[in-house]
Amino acid sequence: MVRLDKFLCDSGVGTRSQVKGILKAGRVTVGGAVEKDGSRKFDPEDLEVCCDGERLGGAKRIVVLLHKPAGYVTATEDPVEKTVMEVLPPQYRDLKPVGRLDKATEGLLLFTNDGDLLHRLISPKKEVPKVYYARHEGTAGEADVAAFAQGLTLRDGTVCRSAVLEPMGPGESRVTVCEGKYHQVRRMMASRNMTVTYLRRDKEGDLCLGDLPLGACRELTEAEIAELAQF
Ligand code: URA
């Protein structure tokens, strides 16, 4: 945690007394809200500070897209399991995962050092659509498509929002959901007697996994981050 006035001085905004005036004039925002109190303490990793609308200090905002392999849990540390952090190259190991994929699930997983963006993307209020490819027992039919569209009730009584099920052939489907309940796709499919045997996330918002090889990652461009931040 750092004091806002010290952070502003260290970022080159001005001297201590100039910073006082700048704060008083309402030219500084912390996490998007005007802040006039220089003694306010905050975590620069978590909140973005702007002066006259321009972002100050801190590390460059990075978002990394990983093609997660199966066998890794989504956590920054775990006493027993291998974590997704072990798949990332060392220079990205300070980033935080955005949401989660199950240990057995492969596919698109984002990481960022931008706390604001992270919270926005995982907020249940944001309906960021996520597209999964599933291989499963049985074959999806019209009644299953309708049940997904209506909003499924899982075996434990949990009610899901409307989702899109697209049968792709025997034992293969595409599923689009706008929420992130625990084991959601697997449980939705199980509730229709289609046990999932393989699951991969192919898309989040407008971002696609594309042909990124399994276990590889890439940094998003500023344009891709801006598009993502719209959700
Ligand atoms: N739904 C699941 O069941 N598992 C995931 O990892 C993601 C969505």
Side-chain angles (χ1 to χ4, degrees), residues 68 74 100-106 130 132 177 179-188 196 199-201:
K68 176 193 175 294
T74 307
R100 64 190 300 280
L101 287 178
D102 302 335
K103 182 178 169 189
T105 302
E106 294 189 346
K130 298 173 194 90
Y132 295 85
V177 295
E179 50 186 350
K181 297 188 195 304
Y182 177 70
H183 284 191
Q184 179 151 3
V185 174
R186 291 174 197 276
R187 291 197 295 153
M188 288 170 97
V196 170
L199 189 63
R200 184 183 69 224
R201 179 151 72 198

Side-chain angles (χ1 to χ4, degrees), residues 45-204:
E45 296 249 314
D46 250 14
L47 290 174
E48 190 177 285
V49 178
C50 296
C51 181
D52 298 332
E54 216 164 285
R55 188 170 190 213
L56 297 175
K60 172 178 161 255
R61 174 162 77 170
I62 298 176
V63 183
V64 167
L65 188 165
L66 170 73
H67 187 162
K68 176 193 175 294
Y72 296 84
V73 294
T74 307
T76 49
E77 45 193 327
D78 191 283
V80 181
E81 305 280 2
K82 290 185 292 180
T83 75
V84 286
M85 306 316 289
E86 295 170 44
V87 190
L88 284 182
Q91 71 268 30
Y92 296 136
R93 297 220 172 126
D94 286 343
L95 305 184
K96 300 263 186 320
V98 179
R100 64 190 300 280
L101 287 178
D102 302 335
K103 182 178 169 189
T105 302
E106 294 189 346
L108 188 161
L109 183 62
L110 298 175
F111 295 81
T112 186
N113 59 353
D114 182 336
D116 277 349
L117 181 69
L118 192 152
H119 289 120
R120 255 184 293 148
L121 288 173
I122 61 176
S123 157
K125 285 189 218 128
K126 304 286 162 180
E127 298 192 355
V128 182
K130 298 173 194 90
V131 182
Y132 295 85
Y133 165 76
R135 283 200 292 269
H136 51 85
E137 290 173 1
T139 296
E142 274 177 28
D144 302 307
V145 173
F148 269 62
Q150 211 179 355
L152 279 177
T153 301
L154 303 181
R155 285 175 175 164
D156 67 355
T158 304
V159 178
C160 298
R161 289 190 202 156
S162 172
V164 180
L165 172 66
E166 296 169 87
M168 296 170 72
E172 275 187 299
S173 296
R174 190 178 296 123
V175 180
T176 304
V177 295
C178 288
E179 50 186 350
K181 297 188 195 304
Y182 177 70
H183 284 191
Q184 179 151 3
V185 174
R186 291 174 197 276
R187 291 197 295 153
M188 288 170 97
M189 295 298 281
S191 78
R192 303 292 304 175
N193 298 316
M194 294 181 286
T195 301
V196 170
T197 53
Y198 173 81
L199 189 63
R200 184 183 69 224
R201 179 151 72 198
D202 283 340
K203 208 172 166 197
E204 181 160 354

